[in-house]
Amino acid sequence: MRAKHLLLLTLFAGATAWSALAAANTAPSGAASVEPSPDYPKMTMPPPEVKPPVAKPSKSTADHSKFKELQVDFKSGPEVTAACLKCHTEAAKQVQHTKHWTFEFKNPQTGQMLGKRHIINNFCTSISSNQEFCSACHVGYGWKDNSFDFAAQDKVDCLVCHEKTGTYRKLPGWAGHPVYQDVEFPPHSGKIVKAVDLKAAAQSVAKSGRNNCGACHFFGGGGDAVKHGDIDTSLSNPGKYLDVHMDKDGLNFSCGECHKTSGHEVPGSRYAVTAKDEGGKAHMRGKEDKNPATCQACHTNAPHKHHARLNTHAEKIACQTCHIPEFARGKATKMMWDWSTAGKLDKDGKPFTTKAPNGQVAYDSKKGDFRYEANVIPTYVWFNGTVNYTLADTKLDPSKLVQINRFEGSASDGKSKIWPIKVFSGKQPYDKATNQLLIPHTYGGEGDDTAFWKVFDWNKALEAGMRSVNQNFSGEYGFVSTEMYWPITHMVAPKDDALSCAQCHQPSIGVGRLDGVPGVYMPGRSANKLLDTAGWTFALLTLLGVLGHGAGRIYAAKKQGAKHHE
């Protein structure tokens, strides 16, 4: 009987060891270079129909339509601002100290002077020499060139952030003004943009909402869903599927609910991101040493009340990594912009555009080639909040991919978390003599014979662009491949659509979401071939030893039994 028990024990140990060995041999190796694909149903189903929100009574204590200062047929935006300042005496001064006005930001960590006035990006490239066009997304009136008076209070545009008629629109090329008379826009399109009713807009003012912010931010980079990937017009009136916080039938957050503004200064900077918020409690109103535009400001660093294991993940993994499984879920976002192909003309010498099968513009003579993608799985990186930019004076190596902005971070610095990002790829002009990025002059008004969109001459456009920032152009240009990172933090999915454990630890397709992230040990996936070989060799020898020992004991027991029978 003792021999039978020993035999069963030996066979069970052997079967267990061989089963583990077979599982290890068939498990995926976790190659880091493969683009991860989800092993769950992708969120590519069309979002449920979202009905328009039901109008709710205003909670404001003031009805601006009753103010005599606004019972005026205003002729221009600055006239409206002058009326606003009669009551809101300090508003313009506050605005003029913000990034939305100065288009400048000095990064306290790197010392770099950033903002739209200094950065050369890889989509629109630069506002320098193009202010008349780009200032459609400036909170001011009249920024046409470098002579703009940033101290003039009546140049502040109150309406763009506060009007509620939905008819106030600033067009590119009007230097930040709305149109005061009916105009054809785009030119030669046959489409008429109606003159703004400034009186109605002024009387409608209220707290900023999503569409106020979205008038610029939805169209960042020159069009709907171009720049960010997680901010576009689909967030104007989203359902829960698209964003649980902005769900119009649920929480219905405005942008300001997270980006809590004080003195017109809007927190939550793309230039200096709070990548790891150490705060354990919700943000306290009036406390200025914390950024309220973080997940932790409301949810704390232990958001999973009944799942302690998930809270340990939150120490190293940004909330967005699990809770935004894909971006561009409402509209396809631009992922690539190649300026090197711009300038082609048709047989009649006219600029033209072509479209991809999905209806998105694939080529534009003014801008080059594009690529759009929808339901995009993010790229994942370690990020500690420090961002270093390639600026106009940065020397670059044109034989290598140039990072317009580099996200710093590592698994070992104690300050980083794994973040989801959009990687925007580009190809843009640089000076072959100085190995520095160049600024093209793209937009030009009447009589301008240097703007690229008018003459399609890179030499003229680049010389004019560099002259606008008091820099020289050698006359020799080429195109360099670039990439720019954008943190993904909007379009938070319902919790049932968050990443599952298996999508990182045991994906059925063999590639996990975090396989390409260095310094990550993944139980059930991470492996070292040498250690694995040594370990399984030891396990095999152990198994052989157990089997041999068991066989010896069985043999000895049988032999002993035979002697008893004798």
Side-chain angles (χ1 to χ4, degrees), residues 53 117 169 209 375 523 555:
R117 291 166 73 179
R169 183 181 178 192
N375 301 292
Y555 175 76

Side-chain angles (χ1 to χ4, degrees), residues 404-439:
I404 296 297
N405 60 342
R406 186 177 68 253
F407 282 20
E408 306 291 352
S410 70
S412 59
D413 68 4
K415 300 181 293 183
S416 298
K417 286 189 176 186
I418 297 173
W419 270 72
I421 63 170
K422 170 185 173 178
V423 179
F424 193 108
S425 300
K427 206 167 187 180
Q428 61 197 98
Y430 78 100
D431 195 312
K432 286 187 173 181
T434 63
N435 284 338
Q436 293 173 310
L437 293 176
L438 289 169
I439 295 172

Side-chain angles (χ1 to χ4, degrees), residues 114-167:
L114 306 174
K116 292 179 175 64
R117 291 166 73 179
H118 302 281
I119 284 175
I120 302 176
N121 57 57
N122 66 348
F123 37 95
C124 297
T125 68
S126 175
I127 69 166
S128 296
S129 77
N130 304 304
Q131 292 95 330
E132 188 173 3
F133 188 87
C134 300
S135 58
C137 276
H138 180 243
V139 290
Y141 299 115
W143 189 5
K144 187 174 183 179
D145 52 34
N146 293 338
S147 65
F148 179 68
D149 184 2
F150 282 90
Q153 293 189 36
D154 66 342
K155 300 297 186 184
V156 172
D157 184 353
C158 305
L159 294 177
V160 72
C161 293
H162 293 287
E163 75 89 26
K164 291 298 177 182
T165 67
T167 62

Side-chain angles (χ1 to χ4, degrees), residues 217-287:
H217 291 282
F218 291 163
F219 300 93
D224 193 4
V226 168
K227 183 166 68 174
H228 294 286
D230 61 344
I231 304 176
D232 57 50
T233 54
S234 65
L235 291 180
S236 174
N237 184 34
K240 186 176 181 180
Y241 159 90
L242 191 58
D243 191 290
V244 294
H245 298 108
M246 294 187 240
D247 171 22
K248 62 95 182 176
D249 291 323
L251 295 173
N252 198 25
F253 278 11
S254 68
C255 304
E257 196 68 39
C258 293
H259 298 272
K260 283 291 183 183
T261 303
S262 176
H264 285 91
E265 185 64 66
V266 182
S269 172
R270 300 272 174 168
Y271 299 125
V273 181
T274 304
K276 187 175 184 178
D277 192 343
E278 298 293 351
K281 297 181 179 180
H283 174 73
M284 298 294 291
R285 295 294 179 260
K287 189 175 182 181

